[in-house]
Amino acid sequence: MIDLPFSKNSNTPLYIQIAKSIRLKINEGKIASGEALPSERELCELTGASRVTIRKAVDKLIDEGLLWRKQGSGTFVSERIEVQTTHLGGFTDDARARGEEPGSIWLIRNYANPTREEAEKLNVPMSSAVARLGRVRLSGGEPLAIEHAVVVASRLPPIDEIEDSLYAALEIKGKRPQQGRQKVRASLASPTEAGLLSIQENSEVLRIERLTWLDDGTVIEYTRSAYRGDRYEFVTDIN
Amino acid sequence: MIDLPFSKNSNTPLYIQIAKSIRLKINEGKIASGEALPSERELCELTGASRVTIRKAVDKLIDEGLLWRKQGSGTFVSERIEVQTTHLGGFTDDARARGEEPGSIWLIRNYANPTREEAEKLNVPMSSAVARLGRVRLSGGEPLAIEHAVVVASRLPPIDEIEDSLYAALEIKGKRPQQGRQKVRASLASPTEAGLLSIQENSEVLRIERLTWLDDGTVIEYTRSAYRGDRYEFVTDIN
DNA sequence: AACTCAAATTAGTATTATAATGGTATGTAT
DNA sequence: ATACATACCATTATAATACTAATTTGAGTT
């Protein structure tokens, strides 16, 4: 039986404390991937909180992609990181939202001219200066993705100042994108990608192509990524 | 006798735990490819679970492609079919080599002109007559692949005379190819393909594009196929 | 060795039932 | 916004029992 510490005297809302405790149990391996949590009613008993509060805490973890639910069956720890294809977040934000420490290994960080394709996507002349930012992205010390971003240089601070979050850097210039479109495809990892991701060659990867822009239509970022196919799935809600 | 650990104290539904235990036994090699599982009633005795629960656990593994069932016969561990990428064999020959009965369900069998792409691949004018041969390929009664072959009509007997083996038909005209090249890619099955292959939509399939020719360079066949990704793997020897 | 056939064994389906789980709504209080 | 109590609904998990359909097995016969 698990223990879920929290404090009623805390200024932090109860549901946030409970969510944090559950997240910690999962990250510690106390509740394994694929396993079910105690039922909502059981979590009420464990914490003394109401079912509505418990549901709100679990809702939060579901939004983070850590859990999923099935009526009549239970609440389960996700086996893959779910990312909404409509979600305009960055790797860094997503990792932190999951309670994991983001990291980067730089592959490419320089200025260049765009290729014809990149210029078309970014809606700039081929003579423009763009920043090429290629990185292996880590979460909790584990390589999960490779990203190659191309950004119009004038919309970024100097590239040497970029740390983990490209979006945080864009924010500094008031250029954090608000809209975008991304395409997701299944593929096999190349030998290079496999090496960088510490996966076997020919493992399935998810290839993502993303284009983002401001509300006024200014194109900001064209990014091509490969995410580990065994660790990610991209979810699209159908309305 | 195998052991199938699970815990009634766990929050995870019983059928999921049982499925996981069976999967582990298979992955550990304790139950080999092609072997039968203990009967459903036997698994009940082993686990104390009801037959409905056992069937639900086995259903899950069947959906994953790990197992298959036959009424009156048993439940078996699926075999993955290894095919050398350098091997120039046909589906029929490969199935027979495995001791299985090949079969076909015709989708398209007619004469037509090639598309520009097909004409280029086949090295013939677009005005040429080609045979379009589209089939679901079965092995042991099970749909495993979808093939769309385009063959220069003059190099084939009349298409009504073609049975399971295209290569046997080509042999009749002395046009069985001796050389070729094929490309293998990973993809997801379209809804149509999923239906034809009796697999879930968006299951992974291996897409194969094959071009074959005679020793004298005459191009014979341009074939595009989708093979069930859970049942096929293409192997390359490294020398 | 080959064949037939009944019995045994296997998976497939249906019905009925209970219990446990998540899902939703309403109203109240701070 | 947060938290709670209460009530009810919908879905799923699990089970027992019974029966059907398909396949395998073994005994007997030729």
Side-chain angles (χ1 to χ4, degrees):
Chain A
M1 196 63 77
I2 65 177
D3 177 42
L4 291 176
F6 67 94
S7 167
K8 291 236 173 155
N9 291 332
S10 173
N11 288 328
T12 306
L14 192 53
Y15 79 93
I16 291 184
Q17 292 186 62
I18 294 174
K20 186 176 177 181
S21 289
I22 295 174
R23 189 187 301 111
L24 193 60
K25 293 299 171 192
I26 294 169
N27 287 344
E28 286 172 348
K30 298 283 176 56
I31 317 176
S33 275
E35 256 183 40
L37 259 60
S39 70
E40 290 174 0
R41 291 169 179 87
E42 225 173 306
L43 291 173
C44 288
E45 288 175 25
L46 284 168
T47 61
S50 77
R51 227 189 114 208
V52 171
T53 302
I54 291 295
R55 283 183 65 80
K56 202 174 166 74
V58 171
D59 280 343
K60 184 174 167 61
L61 298 173
I62 287 171
D63 287 344
E64 290 172 16
L66 211 52
L67 299 176
W68 62 278
R69 272 186 182 129
K70 187 175 183 185
Q71 179 172 0
S73 191
T75 304
F76 301 89
V77 181
S78 298
E79 292 183 76
R80 279 191 174 85
I81 296 162
E82 288 187 350
V83 178
Q84 279 281 356
T85 38
T86 55
H87 171 54
L88 192 46
F91 187 95
T92 301
D93 296 332
D94 291 346
R96 288 218 165 100
R98 291 193 303 276
E100 292 176 355
E101 190 66 23
S104 300
I105 299 174
W106 286 94
L107 303 173
I108 303 170
R109 176 161 52 173
N110 58 23
Y111 293 107
N113 293 123
T115 65
R116 181 179 298 281
E117 182 202 11
E118 290 164 348
E120 284 174 11
K121 299 282 188 180
L122 290 168
N123 202 25
V124 295
M126 284 178 67
S127 55
S128 300
V130 296
R132 291 185 175 290
L133 311 170
R135 302 184 274 175
V136 180
R137 308 307 308 272
L138 295 86
S139 188
E142 188 178 13
L144 293 185
I146 302 168
E147 286 181 347
H148 289 283
V150 181
V151 187
V152 179
S154 63
R155 291 161 194 161
L156 267 178
I159 54 180
D160 296 323
E161 297 174 18
I162 299 172
E163 298 185 350
D164 282 332
S165 174
L166 169 61
Y167 283 9
L170 288 165
E171 190 95 72
I172 292 171
K173 297 278 281 212
K175 300 290 187 187
R176 182 177 178 128
Q178 292 109 10
Q179 298 183 49
R181 180 173 61 246
Q182 63 182 7
K183 299 174 182 173
V184 180
R185 289 187 289 272
S187 180
L188 297 177
S190 69
T192 303
E193 290 167 339
L196 291 170
L197 291 172
S198 301
I199 57 179
Q200 289 185 342
E201 282 186 30
N202 293 328
S203 292
E204 180 174 310
V205 295
L206 288 163
R207 293 202 182 284
I208 290 88
E209 182 180 298
R210 171 188 287 211
L211 194 69
T212 63
W213 53 87
L214 302 175
D215 282 328
D216 68 6
T218 305
V219 180
I220 295 298
E221 167 211 10
Y222 174 53
T223 298
R224 285 159 292 189
S225 316
Y227 283 66
R228 285 182 58 165
D230 63 329
R231 295 298 307 278
Y232 273 89
E233 62 190 29
F234 282 69
V235 179
T236 303
D237 290 330
I238 295 171
N239 294 323
Chain B
M1 193 64 76
I2 65 176
D3 177 41
L4 291 176
F6 67 92
S7 166
K8 291 250 174 140
N9 289 336
S10 172
N11 299 305
T12 305
L14 195 51
Y15 81 93
I16 291 181
Q17 295 185 61
I18 292 172
K20 185 176 177 181
S21 289
I22 295 174
R23 188 186 302 113
L24 194 60
K25 293 299 171 192
I26 293 170
N27 286 344
E28 286 173 347
K30 299 285 176 53
I31 317 176
S33 272
E35 251 184 44
L37 256 61
S39 69
E40 290 176 2
R41 290 174 180 81
E42 226 172 300
L43 290 172
C44 290
E45 287 174 24
L46 283 168
T47 60
S50 77
R51 226 188 115 210
V52 172
T53 302
I54 291 296
R55 283 184 64 80
K56 202 171 166 71
V58 171
D59 280 344
K60 185 174 165 61
L61 297 173
I62 286 170
D63 285 344
E64 289 174 20
L66 214 51
L67 299 177
W68 63 278
R69 271 191 184 123
K70 190 175 183 188
Q71 179 173 1
S73 194
T75 305
F76 304 90
V77 180
S78 299
E79 296 183 75
R80 266 223 172 83
I81 296 155
E82 291 186 353
V83 178
Q84 281 280 357
T85 37
T86 54
H87 171 56
L88 192 44
F91 188 95
T92 301
D93 296 332
D94 290 346
R96 288 218 167 100
R98 292 193 303 275
E100 291 178 356
E101 190 65 25
S104 300
I105 299 173
W106 286 95
L107 302 173
I108 303 170
R109 177 160 50 172
N110 58 23
Y111 293 108
N113 292 123
T115 65
R116 180 180 298 281
E117 183 201 12
E118 291 163 348
E120 283 175 11
K121 299 282 189 181
L122 292 168
N123 202 26
V124 296
M126 284 178 68
S127 56
S128 299
V130 295
R132 290 188 175 285
L133 310 170
R135 303 184 274 176
V136 180
R137 309 306 306 274
L138 294 86
S139 188
E142 190 178 12
L144 293 184
I146 303 167
E147 286 181 348
H148 289 284
V150 182
V151 187
V152 180
S154 61
R155 293 165 192 158
L156 266 178
I159 54 180
D160 296 322
E161 297 174 17
I162 300 172
E163 298 185 349
D164 282 331
S165 175
L166 170 61
Y167 283 11
L170 288 165
E171 189 96 72
I172 292 171
K173 296 277 281 204
K175 300 288 185 188
R176 181 179 178 125
Q178 293 107 11
Q179 298 183 49
R181 179 174 62 247
Q182 64 181 8
K183 299 174 182 173
V184 179
R185 290 187 289 273
S187 180
L188 298 177
S190 70
T192 303
E193 290 166 339
L196 291 170
L197 291 172
S198 300
I199 58 180
Q200 287 185 343
E201 282 187 29
N202 292 329
S203 292
E204 182 176 316
V205 294
L206 287 164
R207 293 198 183 286
I208 291 88
E209 181 180 300
R210 170 187 289 208
L211 195 68
T212 62
W213 54 88
L214 302 175
D215 282 328
D216 70 4
T218 304
V219 180
I220 295 299
E221 168 211 8
Y222 175 52
T223 298
R224 285 158 291 187
S225 317
Y227 283 67
R228 284 183 56 163
D230 62 328
R231 296 298 309 282
Y232 274 88
E233 61 189 23
F234 282 71
V235 180
T236 304
D237 289 331
I238 297 172
N239 295 322

